Amino acid sequence: METTKGNIYKGKKDKFTDDITIYRSLPNHYTQAIGSMVLLDHVPDHPIKAKEAEMPDGNFAHPHKGIATFTYLLEGSVHHMDSAGGEGIVHAGGIQWMKAGNGIIHDEFIPYEFQKSGGTLNSLQFWLNLPAKIKAEEPEYIAVQAKSIPEITLANQKGRLKVLLGEYGTHRSIIPNYLEQFMYHVQLDPKQIFELSINEGWQYGVYVIKGVATIDNTVVVNKMELAELFDLGTGAQIKNDENDTLDLIFFGGEPYTEPAVPYGPFIMNTREEIGKAYSEYQKGKYGYIDYSKVAL
């Protein structure tokens, strides 16, 4: 059996807003995508100072077309609003999912109550490239709280696994899945080993939130590193040699086989479609966000 290999990439630091810093791990100089997942941003341990709450001003509102955004809250809360009428506040352990489809404007901001109380924001956001036929559909939004995400206790009390996308055994995420793909949040206790079965021909990645992961005794992935994995054979062994809990996202799926043209907030199948997306946005065809209806 071949030895598992991995391209290791440390997220590049960038600005998310004026005061929030992100670390972008995907795309990177090794790869543009893992399965349909074309972007991974992490806002790690950002302090929210308690203050008098302010209403959103729309400065962060921006368009998307051709993708689904997938925001997973590790700590804190995020408020979502969009031009199709989607709105929700998701708290720690929950997911904000939005299918941009044929065009939408959305905004994400710190909820009113979280502004007043303060705390820590720690979140991950993936972009999932949609198949062409789904890019043509109307937008859709789903808010999933932590209690609605399937969670499994691993055998022999080794840790926990949450099914964020796709399925694990008989457990299935309620998030729509348009390709064969999955995303798991794995928390592995100290000095434990966990094995996952692998589908031949799929693409796989690991992102470590906390701790150090060793994959098949050959690939070592540190905190806030992304590993694109190769030559996994029929299974992947995840080992935690440390004295603290290992916290990671294990994800993957079948390769995205259609042409993909990313440009700014849009990912379409041709350059002509990118031009059309910008034209539609500039002409106001994606609508607007009605902040007067914001739910506090």
Side-chain angles (χ1 to χ4, degrees):
M1 185 176 72
E2 292 186 86
T3 300
T4 297
K5 303 180 183 69
N7 286 331
I8 309 295
Y9 184 81
K10 185 79 171 180
K12 184 179 179 182
K13 188 176 181 180
D14 200 358
K15 282 291 183 183
F16 183 54
T17 64
D18 288 341
D19 64 339
I20 295 180
T21 298
I22 66 168
Y23 291 81
R24 177 160 296 172
S25 297
L26 192 68
N28 58 59
H29 59 257
Y30 292 117
T31 183
Q32 295 298 301
I34 297 175
S36 78
M37 291 128 186
V38 294
L39 178 140
L40 171 55
D41 283 347
H42 185 189
V43 177
D45 301 325
H46 177 76
I48 303 295
K49 295 181 180 179
K51 65 172 186 176
E52 183 177 344
E54 301 174 349
M55 297 292 288
D57 56 17
N59 283 339
F60 182 64
H62 57 281
H64 285 299
K65 184 175 182 177
I67 64 170
T69 61
F70 186 108
T71 302
Y72 180 44
L73 272 292
L74 299 165
E75 296 179 81
S77 302
V78 169
H79 195 150
H80 166 101
M81 292 187 75
D82 63 52
S83 58
E87 181 180 7
I89 298 174
V90 167
H91 307 288
I95 296 168
Q96 303 260 23
W97 176 87
M98 184 189 74
K99 179 181 71 177
N102 60 16
I104 197 169
I105 297 171
H106 81 138
D107 197 354
E108 292 174 299
F109 47 91
I110 303 302
Y112 196 79
E113 291 299 324
F114 193 26
Q115 291 184 53
K116 292 195 297 183
S117 66
T120 299
L121 177 65
N122 191 348
S123 68
L124 300 168
Q125 185 173 90
F126 288 81
W127 289 7
L128 281 66
N129 194 3
L130 296 172
K133 65 179 181 180
I134 309 300
K135 294 178 189 288
E137 293 183 351
E138 294 295 316
E140 184 181 356
Y141 168 75
I142 300 175
V144 185
Q145 303 298 346
K147 63 182 180 181
S148 298
I149 297 175
E151 181 172 350
I152 300 101
T153 299
L154 302 180
N156 301 316
Q157 304 293 315
K158 292 181 177 181
R160 294 145 298 284
L161 183 149
K162 295 181 181 179
V163 185
L164 307 182
L165 182 67
E167 59 187 37
Y168 179 82
T170 60
H171 303 275
R172 176 182 289 272
S173 168
I174 65 175
I175 298 294
N177 214 357
Y178 302 109
L179 295 165
E180 292 294 323
Q181 58 191 347
F182 73 94
M183 190 186 304
Y184 305 146
H185 181 186
V186 179
Q187 294 175 304
L188 192 60
D189 290 341
K191 309 299 183 182
Q192 297 295 332
I193 295 174
F194 174 59
E195 294 190 9
L196 284 160
S197 60
I198 297 300
N199 291 308
E200 186 177 357
W202 281 24
Q203 299 170 341
Y204 291 91
V206 166
Y207 183 77
V208 172
I209 300 165
K210 183 179 71 174
V212 181
T214 302
I215 312 298
D216 291 345
N217 293 314
T218 58
V219 179
V220 178
V221 194
N222 294 290
K223 180 180 178 180
M224 293 176 61
E225 287 183 346
L226 171 73
E228 181 188 16
L229 302 172
F230 307 97
D231 302 329
L232 285 167
T234 58
Q237 182 194 82
I238 302 171
K239 183 190 297 184
N240 179 11
D241 288 323
E242 306 299 307
N243 293 319
D244 294 316
T245 299
L246 169 62
D247 207 350
L248 60 82
I249 304 292
F250 190 82
F251 64 97
E254 61 179 329
Y256 187 91
T257 57
E258 297 177 359
V261 181
Y263 200 91
F266 308 121
I267 301 181
M268 302 303 293
N269 299 107
T270 67
R271 291 184 179 275
E272 290 75 18
E273 290 173 338
I274 290 290
K276 182 181 179 183
Y278 271 101
S279 176
E280 290 171 340
Y281 170 59
Q282 291 164 355
K283 291 176 180 177
K285 292 187 175 181
Y286 296 167
Y288 68 97
I289 299 172
D290 186 355
Y291 290 101
S292 70
K293 296 182 179 179
V294 62
L296 301 178

